[in-house]
Amino acid sequence: MSTSASLRSGATAQQAFRDVMAAVVTALDGGRPHGTTVSAFASLSLTPPMVLVSLDERSRLLAIVRRSGRFGVNVLGAHQADLASVFARSGPDKFDGIDWSPSGELPRLPDAAAWIVAEVDDCVDAGDHTVLLAHVTAAEPGQGSLRPLTYHRRSFGTHTPLTQ
């Protein structure tokens, strides 16, 4: 069986895929913050600046983003693995005890490696998820030289720059 065929079905293949993927996407519902750790977030275009984010069809956050038409992306730093875990769990109270501030009228987490504000341009159904294609209206790097948090083999870490 080829590698691509093995990733098409089965619980083991789904778990393997989940293990190699992981930013906290946020939105406001009235004044209440909502957020989730996503496994699919990527740069899409430079002209115009666009990103894509994939959210589970059953996600409360997806319903909020569909209504508001916008979301924030908190690219976590390597020192924020605990936040990634908090926002990866189910439930409505992920922000309980979590510091945040409004930025661009969206919930922003402190000390992130980067912050992005995006407005949804299109929603594409894709399996059990919806892919949000969005225009970036603001982008800011974090303070200092924070390394972004990555997720691989069910473990949070960071990347190592290539040396030449």
Side-chain angles (χ1 to χ4, degrees):
M1 180 187 298
S2 74
T3 302
S4 60
S6 68
L7 288 177
R8 289 192 185 128
S9 63
T12 302
Q14 290 174 354
Q15 188 61 49
F17 181 66
R18 190 177 300 125
D19 289 351
V20 298
M21 303 296 292
V24 171
V25 174
T26 60
L28 283 174
D29 187 17
R32 185 180 172 143
H34 292 269
T36 192
T37 298
V38 297
S39 61
F41 159 69
S43 167
L44 181 60
S45 169
L46 289 176
T47 307
M50 294 182 74
V51 294
L52 68 81
V53 170
S54 178
L55 295 173
D56 189 302
E57 268 302 318
R58 300 163 296 171
S59 166
R60 180 176 170 100
L61 182 64
L62 177 59
I64 294 166
V65 171
R66 282 185 187 273
R67 281 194 307 272
S68 70
R70 49 199 322 263
F71 59 87
V73 179
N74 295 269
V75 179
L76 300 181
H79 62 290
Q80 295 176 304
D82 56 331
L83 279 178
S85 295
V86 166
F87 285 95
R89 66 177 169 78
S90 297
D93 302 322
K94 297 177 191 178
F95 272 93
D96 285 356
I98 302 294
D99 288 334
W100 67 277
S101 62
S103 181
E105 299 178 20
L106 293 163
R108 183 175 183 170
L109 299 171
D111 302 323
W115 167 247
I116 295 170
V117 175
E119 293 183 3
V120 178
D121 183 57
D122 198 6
C123 300
V124 179
D125 292 335
D128 60 358
H129 280 61
T130 295
V131 178
L132 305 174
L133 308 178
H135 286 89
V136 174
T137 60
E140 298 175 26
Q143 298 294 319
S145 59
L146 296 174
R147 290 184 177 189
L149 183 67
T150 60
Y151 186 70
H152 181 71
R153 293 190 179 185
R154 301 183 64 80
S155 177
F156 291 104
T158 191
H159 78 284
T160 303
L162 294 174
T163 58
Q164 294 184 356

